[in-house]
Amino acid sequence: MVATSVILMDMDPHLLRTFAEVARLGSFSAAARELGYTQSAVSQHVAALEADLGVELLGRRPVSPTEAGARLLDHTGPLLARLAAARADVVRVARTPPDRLVIGAAGALALGGRAVRALDVVRARTPRAEVELRLLDPAQVVRGIADGALDAGLVAGTVAPTDPLPLPDAAGLSVVRAGEDPLMVLLPADHPLAGRGGLRLADLADARWLDAPDAAVDLAALRAATGSPFPVGMRYRGADSGVVRQLAAAGHGLAALPGWAAGWGGDVPAGSVVAVPLVAPRLVHRVEVLTRPEPAGAARIFAEALAADV
């Protein structure tokens, strides 16, 4: 393994990046458009990498990784992330004001009361800190931490209590649990199951659900947990959990939210929506904070405050 790592670190990262894009897109021409190269330059990069290793990495018709290419892909993401993180860390030390804090949050559900309390700690300890919050997708959060565009990131997801959040390409970054909440199911107050003390997803598999991946638990997580279809009653492509509460109250579909968000936000008439605990399968909504190793300044204060609040 050590010898393999040394060989890979000797490679030109531009060649590795080109190879990874061709493998991801399954096309030399598509990779050329994505990277801003000519198709012939992309072919030359892949050929140079194959010559360096002495193995074929990509089958050409169709374009897909060989067994050796698939193994190289396992290493490529973490290596490129580490290189980007090293570059960003050097630049950050030289250029970044110590009281800057740019946080990327993967959806509104990553920003809960714990994050607000951590920001209160930052404000108390660095009153002149310039804080910026950005809503991004998880891949953008990981990339932003690695390349220095973000000082800290918040990612969230629905998992079994013992499972980690799936975070591809986060190798080399610090990942710390920043919160975990039980799930609640939102039902109209007149729903036949609204009076129960707990619900099983299996009992709701044929109900119509709200498809609101940025403002409620993603239906993909519920489907993965049970294998049930969970048909969609309405799609909402916003990030306001209050809107989800209004739609659930009006009977447009059920929704699952972490406990802290289930009773918050939205102009919902009292008694029109009920939040019932999900008891089976056992799932939690977890939030994790990402930083570069050994964060400094406001980023360190923010990450430590989040971890202390768990």
Side-chain angles (χ1 to χ4, degrees):
M1 180 62 73
V2 173
T4 300
S5 298
V6 171
I7 291 171
L8 292 176
M9 289 302 291
D10 284 341
M11 293 180 193
D12 184 336
H14 297 294
L15 304 186
L16 282 173
R17 189 172 290 107
T18 300
F19 160 70
E21 281 300 298
V22 175
R24 180 177 72 86
L25 297 170
S27 165
F28 282 79
S29 58
R33 288 192 298 272
E34 182 79 11
L35 296 168
Y37 297 154
T38 64
Q39 184 170 338
S40 105
V42 168
S43 297
Q44 289 171 14
H45 282 192
V46 173
L49 191 57
E50 290 178 326
D52 185 22
L53 286 171
V55 297
E56 184 181 45
L57 298 172
L58 291 169
R60 274 19 181 211
R61 294 186 181 178
V63 176
S64 62
T66 62
E67 185 176 356
R71 180 59 59 88
L72 178 58
L73 283 173
D74 292 338
H75 295 280
T76 298
L79 281 172
L80 292 177
R82 289 294 298 273
L83 287 170
R87 177 188 292 272
D89 203 37
V90 171
V91 172
R92 176 186 60 80
V93 169
R95 301 180 185 173
T96 302
D99 54 0
R100 182 195 86 157
L101 178 59
V102 181
I103 302 168
L109 292 185
L111 288 169
R114 294 183 184 90
V116 173
R117 290 192 292 273
L119 288 173
D120 290 342
V121 175
V122 171
R123 184 66 66 198
R125 293 180 59 182
T126 57
R128 302 183 68 176
E130 296 181 3
V131 180
E132 179 180 340
L133 294 174
R134 303 176 186 173
L135 287 183
L136 305 167
D137 65 44
Q140 289 174 316
V141 171
V142 173
R143 245 187 343 261
I145 299 294
D147 66 20
L150 302 175
D151 301 303
L154 293 168
V155 292
T158 299
V159 292
T162 55
D163 290 346
L165 288 183
L167 291 176
D169 297 334
L173 303 183
S174 170
V175 182
V176 177
R177 187 164 64 108
E180 196 168 276
D181 292 277
L183 295 188
M184 310 287 283
V185 179
L186 296 183
L187 306 164
D190 59 359
H191 192 281
L193 301 179
R196 290 198 180 180
L199 292 171
R200 300 183 309 153
L201 277 180
D203 295 333
L204 304 168
D206 296 325
R208 300 185 75 78
W209 286 73
L210 295 173
D211 180 16
D214 295 321
V217 171
D218 194 343
L219 286 185
L222 302 185
R223 289 169 179 147
T226 64
S228 301
F230 294 103
V232 175
M234 181 178 290
R235 290 180 172 84
Y236 169 57
R237 290 298 180 261
D240 188 341
S241 295
V243 172
V244 170
R245 282 172 46 79
Q246 293 181 60
L247 294 173
H252 293 295
L254 310 186
L257 289 171
W260 67 265
W264 173 84
D267 184 14
V268 182
S272 63
V273 66
V274 175
V276 182
L278 177 67
V279 295
R282 193 174 170 215
L283 299 172
V284 295
H285 182 266
R286 184 177 303 137
V287 178
E288 294 179 346
V289 59
L290 279 65
T291 61
R292 288 179 293 277
E294 300 181 8
R300 178 181 57 79
I301 296 170
F302 179 69
E304 290 178 350
L306 273 170
D309 197 21
V310 175

